[in-house]
Amino acid sequence: MVIWLLGISGSGKTTLAKELKKQFDKENKKSYIIDGDLMRDFFDRDLGYSKEERIANIKRVLISAKVLEDNGIIPIVANISPFQELRDFARNKFKHYIEIYLKRDIENITNKDFVYSDKNVVGVDMEFDEPTNPDLVIDTSKKDIDESLKDILKVINENK
């Protein structure tokens, strides 16, 4: 099983990934968080933020998630994942892929001065493809962390 949390910067991906990991730990389920920013840090930020470089970074995330899944560890991916073609690719490559779209308007991002001070920002300078077939959509400007986590766990349990 691969849990893929996607959405624009500041939508709550990393926060919810950490909460989901805590829940899996309580249930003695092996899981690991793959965060797009941590992937960039591991590779010494050798990729920028152009469309091509974002695709390359997501491909790194994809292979990492595949290795974990093949070894019985649940990858919890927290990544903007702005391109539908890569989300479709992921759905076809993993045995059990659960896509969760954390929807949030840019106007409701709390740390937008920091997050959106750069160029090539997804949702501002670069297109974010609205997901066509997510397993769950959560409007994180309307639901708190606990409500969102309950919704995620419900979808996971329904898709076992």
Side-chain angles (χ1 to χ4, degrees):
M1 173 185 339
V2 176
I3 312 299
W4 200 287
L5 304 170
L6 67 109
I8 62 172
S9 290
S11 60
K13 297 177 299 296
T14 301
T15 301
L16 281 167
K18 289 176 181 176
E19 291 301 312
L20 185 56
K21 171 88 172 105
K22 285 181 198 173
Q23 183 63 38
F24 284 156
D25 288 348
K26 285 181 194 173
E27 298 172 10
N28 293 316
K29 293 180 181 176
K30 292 181 185 179
S31 64
Y32 191 85
I33 297 171
I34 303 174
D35 186 284
D37 288 333
L38 295 177
M39 184 69 69
R40 286 179 180 282
D41 288 344
F42 178 82
F43 286 102
D44 297 327
R45 298 211 163 257
D46 64 337
L47 295 172
Y49 293 91
S50 69
K51 182 174 183 176
E52 294 76 20
E53 290 166 312
R54 286 179 182 278
I55 289 170
N57 195 55
I58 294 168
K59 286 181 176 179
R60 289 174 174 174
V61 171
L62 285 162
I63 191 62
S64 301
K66 179 70 173 148
V67 169
L68 289 173
E69 181 191 41
D70 286 350
N71 285 282
I73 300 167
I74 303 167
I76 305 167
V77 176
N79 190 277
I80 293 172
S81 305
F83 312 116
Q84 184 62 44
E85 65 268 17
L86 287 175
R87 296 191 297 260
D88 291 341
F89 179 85
R91 191 171 291 281
N92 290 322
K93 289 293 180 181
F94 296 115
K95 294 172 193 149
H96 194 174
Y97 172 80
I98 299 175
E99 183 177 292
I100 301 166
Y101 175 32
L102 304 180
K103 186 176 179 123
R104 191 161 191 146
D105 293 329
I106 290 172
E107 294 78 30
N108 291 321
I109 301 295
T110 54
N111 59 345
K112 66 181 166 186
D113 291 339
F114 171 74
V115 172
Y116 297 111
S117 62
D118 212 348
K119 292 182 180 178
N120 291 327
V121 174
V122 173
V124 177
D125 306 306
M126 187 177 288
E127 189 68 27
F128 178 85
D129 298 338
E130 194 82 13
T132 58
N133 58 344
D135 297 288
L136 176 64
V137 177
I138 299 173
D139 184 338
T140 58
S141 63
K142 295 180 181 171
K143 288 196 172 191
D144 67 19
I145 294 169
D146 291 335
E147 291 173 305
S148 298
L149 182 62
K150 285 178 187 175
D151 289 348
I152 292 169
L153 293 170
K154 182 179 177 189
V155 166
I156 290 169
N157 288 326
E158 289 172 352
N159 288 290
K160 283 186 178 180

